[in-house]
Amino acid sequence: AMHEGHVVSAQELTEFLQPLFTQNSRNLVLFLQDRLSIDDFTYFSESYGNKNPFQNQINKLFINLLQEILQSSPSSLVLPAVDCKATKSLLSVLQESGGWKLTNVTNLNVSQLEVNASNPNLLVVQLQPLASGLKDISTLEAIAENDKIIGRVTMDLQERGIHFSVIYTAARPSRISRRTDVVTELRRQLMAAEEEDSSSYPPLNVTTGNYTCILFYASNFSLKANSSVLIDLTNATFVTQNLDISASQCSDINTTLSLKYTNPVNGISSLEIRFLMTNKFYEGSARKWSTLHSVEIIQDEEKFAKFNVSAISAPAEYSFHCQLVGTSNLYPARLVPSNAEAKNWDVFISRLQIQGFNIINNQFSYASDCTGFFTPGIWMGLVTSIILLWILTYGIHMIMQLTTNNRFDDPKGPALSVPQTE
């Protein structure tokens, strides 16, 4: 039993999972999502008027249990949670402590997998990321699709008579309570200024000698090949840094960030992603601007995909930040396929911040955001203010046109006669 609001540490989580290491059938299925919170199960359930996206048996059992706890609670309830650092290191902890045979399930079809019941097996299923920053309907559809994947995998294992345990978790929470000491701050809360919290990690840096020439950060960095194989590179890029950046190049004019991965998923032996940036002087603005011109993906040193980049530029002294960057038309900064191979890839980057020039003290400079100054909210406020100002001006004009009588009846004298012309 734990008190409300208790945050489970990595050590406590390992102790809770000890029964999985000692049971006779040691088959474990780990479903990993980019972000998830307990609140998602209640917020997106039918009790809030939404179409319930949780239809598989595992999630239904959890929702029923959660509803019973909420209904039996006499007051508001704060449930325990797991520390973000514990969930990030969960996969490595399982590999070290359980002696599992690790298998990454990428094609979401385990019927062809060879599972040896005599040995412990760990099946890792990377679920598709949720589109943060968009409407709830997009998140609802993504959760519903992930729920179908969970149901498909578990039903496949049950039909084969394989006994297994399931862990459904994420790399970070999707809902974080707003801190009161940050609410009053109106400046941008980017890595250049904000304090590092428990769910963040340092950016990837490329150095030449003793100087940092490239900084790269993203809260989610994922690719999807042929609309089926999901490749989550967030952990390998920023946490474990299991990649090769030696091919990156830095100069005062051109900078290339090269990210090379070995066996990121089954079926792909090598994957290289390049970010090509330039630093150029523009006479119109009388200053230099750094621009991310293109992104290239090279698979197995044979397949070459190139994307043209729109709306990713900043003054040379600044870094660039954008909440959503990718191939979707809904993102403010888009990666547009420029060849046939690029159409086979989907790119999703959330909270991108990158800087390839003029880095001082190994930190991001002030960020130029991809969001324009005139947001829809600002336009709505301006239009509403103009309408109200026009109504006020018209009212004042009408009041100024009113006239008063300059002659009045005298009760002691004859009646006042006013000609119609007056």
Side-chain angles (χ1 to χ4, degrees):
M2 294 178 295
H3 59 81
E4 61 179 11
H6 177 73
V7 179
V8 179
S9 63
Q11 182 178 359
E12 291 175 324
L13 182 61
T14 304
E15 295 176 357
F16 290 148
L17 297 178
Q18 281 300 322
L20 298 178
F21 308 148
T22 58
Q23 63 184 1
N24 295 329
S25 177
R26 295 173 60 188
N27 296 312
L28 180 61
V29 183
L30 178 61
F31 293 100
L32 285 177
Q33 199 164 277
D34 62 331
R35 55 189 180 90
L36 183 70
S37 295
I38 297 179
D39 296 343
D40 293 332
F41 290 91
T42 55
Y43 180 80
F44 292 107
S45 63
E46 293 177 347
S47 59
Y48 280 80
N50 298 313
K51 181 180 179 182
N52 192 354
F54 305 103
Q55 297 296 327
N56 75 75
Q57 184 179 3
I58 296 175
N59 285 333
K60 280 187 175 181
L61 290 175
F62 176 75
I63 291 176
N64 292 335
L65 177 62
L66 185 61
Q67 290 178 347
E68 291 179 2
I69 296 175
L70 293 174
Q71 292 174 359
S72 61
S73 176
S75 60
S76 59
L77 183 64
V78 180
L79 296 175
V82 181
D83 189 6
C84 297
K85 295 181 180 179
T87 57
K88 286 181 179 179
S89 60
L90 178 60
L91 183 57
S92 59
V93 170
L94 290 174
Q95 290 179 277
E96 295 173 359
S97 58
W100 310 89
K101 177 186 176 183
L102 177 63
T103 303
N104 290 305
V105 182
T106 56
N107 56 2
L108 305 178
N109 182 10
V110 297
S111 59
Q112 299 179 354
L113 288 177
E114 297 181 0
V115 180
N116 188 359
S118 60
N119 298 323
N121 297 280
L122 175 58
L123 306 179
V124 180
V125 182
Q126 293 281 355
L127 301 176
Q128 66 176 358
L130 307 184
S132 61
L134 301 180
K135 297 181 180 179
D136 285 342
I137 186 63
S138 301
T139 304
L140 186 68
E141 293 174 354
I143 290 180
E145 183 63 27
N146 289 340
D147 181 81
K148 293 178 182 179
I149 294 173
I150 295 174
R152 191 183 311 132
V153 173
T154 54
M155 285 296 297
D156 217 344
L157 291 174
Q158 288 176 355
E159 291 176 356
R160 299 177 60 185
I162 300 175
H163 299 281
F164 61 93
S165 302
V166 171
I167 296 179
Y168 181 22
T169 185
R172 70 181 191 279
S174 59
R175 301 174 185 274
I176 304 177
S177 300
R178 186 183 295 271
R179 303 200 313 267
T180 57
D181 59 338
V182 182
V183 173
T184 57
E185 298 182 12
L186 299 180
R187 59 184 175 86
R188 291 174 179 158
Q189 296 298 315
L190 304 182
M191 292 192 64
E194 67 180 359
E195 296 180 358
E196 183 178 356
D197 57 19
S198 59
S199 62
S200 65
Y201 37 76
L204 177 69
N205 63 82
V206 178
T207 59
T208 55
N210 297 327
Y211 299 97
T212 300
C213 61
I214 303 176
L215 287 174
F216 175 64
Y217 174 85
S219 62
N220 192 325
F221 183 26
S222 303
L223 308 176
K224 183 177 286 189
N226 300 319
S227 302
S228 59
V229 180
L230 178 64
I231 309 173
D232 191 349
L233 302 175
T234 309
N235 187 72
T237 305
F238 304 104
V239 181
T240 62
Q241 295 193 358
N242 185 19
L243 77 165
D244 181 14
I245 58 175
S246 59
S248 301
Q249 299 178 356
C250 298
S251 69
D252 295 336
I253 301 176
N254 297 308
T255 294
T256 301
L257 174 61
S258 174
L259 310 176
K260 292 183 179 180
Y261 306 89
T262 302
N263 296 322
V265 292
N266 292 337
I268 299 179
S269 59
S270 66
L271 186 67
E272 181 180 3
I273 304 174
R274 298 173 183 170
F275 295 84
L276 282 72
M277 295 172 284
T278 61
N279 185 20
K280 185 178 179 181
F281 180 82
Y282 290 88
E283 296 181 355
S285 58
R287 69 183 309 170
K288 289 185 176 181
W289 287 76
S290 62
T291 304
L292 178 60
H293 275 290
S294 60
V295 176
E296 300 174 351
I297 300 177
I298 304 174
Q299 176 188 345
D300 300 329
E301 299 182 357
E302 295 179 356
K303 299 180 180 180
F304 177 80
K306 184 177 180 180
F307 299 87
N308 293 326
V309 182
S310 65
I312 296 186
S313 61
E317 299 82 9
Y318 295 170
S319 63
F320 175 83
H321 173 269
C322 195
Q323 188 68 21
L324 290 173
V325 177
T327 52
S328 174
N329 294 329
L330 301 177
Y331 297 163
R334 286 196 60 206
L335 303 182
V336 183
S338 63
N339 61 0
E341 181 63 28
K343 297 179 181 179
N344 298 327
W345 291 90
D346 294 323
V347 182
F348 174 82
I349 307 176
S350 63
R351 291 185 60 193
L352 168 72
Q353 190 167 2
I354 189 171
Q355 185 174 356
F357 306 95
N358 303 313
I359 297 176
I360 302 175
N361 297 328
N362 300 330
Q363 294 181 351
F364 279 115
S365 303
Y366 178 85
S368 176
D369 202 274
C370 62
T371 303
F373 180 78
F374 286 97
T375 62
I378 294 178
W379 279 115
M380 184 180 298
L382 288 175
V383 172
T384 304
S385 301
I386 292 175
I387 294 175
L388 293 177
L389 183 62
W390 179 82
I391 294 175
L392 177 63
T393 303
Y394 179 76
I396 294 176
H397 176 73
M398 294 301 294
I399 292 175
M400 294 177 63
Q401 298 300 317
L402 295 177
T403 58
T404 59
N405 294 332
N406 54 7
R407 288 181 290 177
F408 303 92
D409 284 327
D410 185 1
K412 297 181 180 180
L416 180 64
S417 176
V418 180
Q420 292 184 356
T421 55
E422 299 183 8

